[in-house]
Amino acid sequence: MIKILITGSNSYIGNSLEGWLVKYPNEYSIDAISVREDSWKNKDFSKYDVVFHVAGIAHVSSDPNMEEQYYKVNRDLTIETAEKAKSEGVKQFIFMSSIIVYGESSSDKRVIDRNTEPKPSNFYGNSKLQAEEGIRPLESDNFNVVIMRPPMIYGKDSKGNYPKLAKAAQKLPVFPNINNERSMLHIDNLCEFIRLMIENEESGLFLPQNSEYVKTSEMVKMIAEAHGKKIKLTRVFNPILKPMIGKIGFINKVFGNFVYDKGVSDYKENYRVKDMKETIIATEE
């Protein structure tokens, strides 16, 4: 029985992982705690094999008044949690970083590979990168550190841009048909990947993603079809929208290009339990 502690109770990813591992009742036991207050510091970590640290500020903010808070939560709290885990004999620490450490999407095709140097474009990305740099030196023969940099995560009840696109798919009669490519990761594929990280006692840097890249307009069309609706894809808006890609935040997130090279996301065991069409159906059920 592998004992897992999730730091960040009520987080979307933490709750999803707990629900995923429930399918293996004789193999994993899971607890979750909040790290919002200081009471977590009194928690005994020594009875756990794995700490999965998912607590953090997930959204991107441009408010300079938030910068200190981002570093306090995303960087300092991560390092402090990892240090406690190591000092109390935990065998593995798993940290959810983000593709955002490589910067933003762009109007041109942008492919991240193993040689791409992180270059955060905001303090959200920088706080994640500095957290990585703070926990890496803690790794030892008795303390495995896993750092994951997933792309956009989506799934049933997820937050962020996906629900906005899903609403648009159900309401709009037409949607811009712009050729773009994005890496994404469905929550079930992520949870299976985390399970394999735990099962195989992994350490190192990992860049998981779905097997297929996503073209935003095609994904919106799939969402509409999942609801029995038809949506027409049109290029009539392209002359207006294309110059905005890379310049205007929401437009860039929806229609920009940002992918991992497919080879960097391969793993020795299959974690992609659903293909793109299956993930849309599961999300929109």
Side-chain angles (χ1 to χ4, degrees):
M1 178 77 74
I2 299 173
K3 296 179 179 179
I4 302 160
L5 177 65
I6 298 172
T7 52
S9 60
N10 295 322
S11 71
Y12 176 66
I13 296 172
N15 287 346
S16 299
L17 179 64
E18 190 167 358
W20 188 258
L21 295 182
V22 162
K23 297 186 292 185
Y24 305 87
N26 299 318
E27 296 179 45
Y28 310 102
S29 70
I30 307 105
D31 290 332
I33 58 167
S34 171
V35 288
R36 287 182 181 273
E37 308 296 336
D38 285 344
S39 59
W40 70 272
K41 296 177 182 179
N42 299 318
K43 176 78 172 176
D44 180 10
F45 280 20
S46 65
K47 59 184 178 181
Y48 297 103
D49 302 296
V50 179
V51 168
F52 176 51
H53 185 69
V54 73
I57 306 174
H59 62 278
V60 176
S61 172
S62 57
D63 182 357
N65 294 322
M66 287 291 293
E67 184 168 1
E68 183 180 349
Q69 186 69 8
Y70 271 71
Y71 287 110
K72 183 179 178 182
V73 175
N74 288 352
R75 178 192 62 194
D76 300 344
L77 179 62
T78 300
I79 296 169
E80 191 175 2
T81 308
E83 288 174 341
K84 177 176 169 65
K86 181 175 182 177
S87 68
E88 296 187 16
V90 175
K91 297 173 186 174
Q92 186 184 48
F93 185 83
I94 301 176
F95 172 55
M96 289 293 297
S97 187
S98 170
I99 194 174
I100 202 71
V101 301
Y102 294 108
E104 299 286 348
S105 50
S106 67
S107 56
D108 300 317
K109 185 167 183 175
R110 187 167 179 222
V111 182
I112 306 298
D113 60 27
R114 284 286 179 189
N115 298 316
T116 305
E117 290 292 329
K119 194 175 182 182
S121 58
N122 52 49
F123 49 77
Y124 168 57
N126 200 36
S127 67
K128 285 289 191 181
L129 183 60
Q130 288 189 23
E132 292 182 18
E133 292 168 346
I135 64 175
R136 271 203 184 104
L138 298 174
E139 184 160 290
S140 67
D141 291 342
N142 300 316
F143 189 65
N144 292 335
V145 175
V146 170
I147 295 169
M148 290 188 291
R149 294 175 180 167
M152 187 179 104
I153 297 164
Y154 68 104
K156 195 166 184 63
D157 301 322
S158 62
K159 298 176 182 178
N161 289 323
Y162 180 91
K164 296 174 185 176
L165 289 171
K167 273 187 181 177
Q170 295 174 63
K171 291 182 178 180
L172 298 177
V174 296
F175 191 84
N177 187 7
I178 291 177
N179 286 324
N180 72 318
E181 286 185 333
R182 298 194 72 89
S183 288
M184 291 176 63
L185 183 60
H186 185 260
I187 189 66
D188 288 354
N189 293 340
L190 171 62
C191 287
E192 177 62 7
F193 187 78
I194 296 167
R195 189 188 74 81
L196 292 173
M197 295 292 100
I198 294 168
E199 194 66 32
N200 296 328
E201 300 179 355
E202 287 285 6
S203 63
L205 174 64
F206 297 89
L207 314 174
Q209 65 175 329
N210 289 346
S211 57
E212 305 121 301
Y213 293 149
V214 173
K215 178 181 175 181
T216 304
S217 58
E218 291 296 334
M219 183 179 72
V220 167
K221 187 178 179 182
M222 278 190 224
I223 295 170
E225 289 172 350
H227 290 276
K229 299 181 180 294
K230 288 188 177 181
I231 191 167
K232 183 178 180 181
L233 303 181
T234 176
R235 298 185 186 276
V236 70
F237 304 110
N238 290 18
I240 300 168
L241 292 173
K242 278 189 173 181
M244 298 182 186
I245 300 172
K247 297 175 183 176
I248 296 178
F250 181 70
I251 299 294
N252 195 42
K253 287 177 181 176
V254 174
F255 296 112
N257 294 274
F258 204 12
V259 299
Y260 281 132
D261 175 81
K262 290 189 176 180
V264 304
S265 301
D266 290 339
Y267 186 62
K268 62 187 177 184
E269 294 183 59
N270 179 44
Y271 61 91
R272 291 142 173 168
V273 294
K274 289 185 173 75
D275 63 25
M276 190 65 204
K277 189 172 182 179
E278 289 171 326
T279 69
I280 297 297
I281 292 170
T283 303
E284 298 305 317
E285 276 181 338

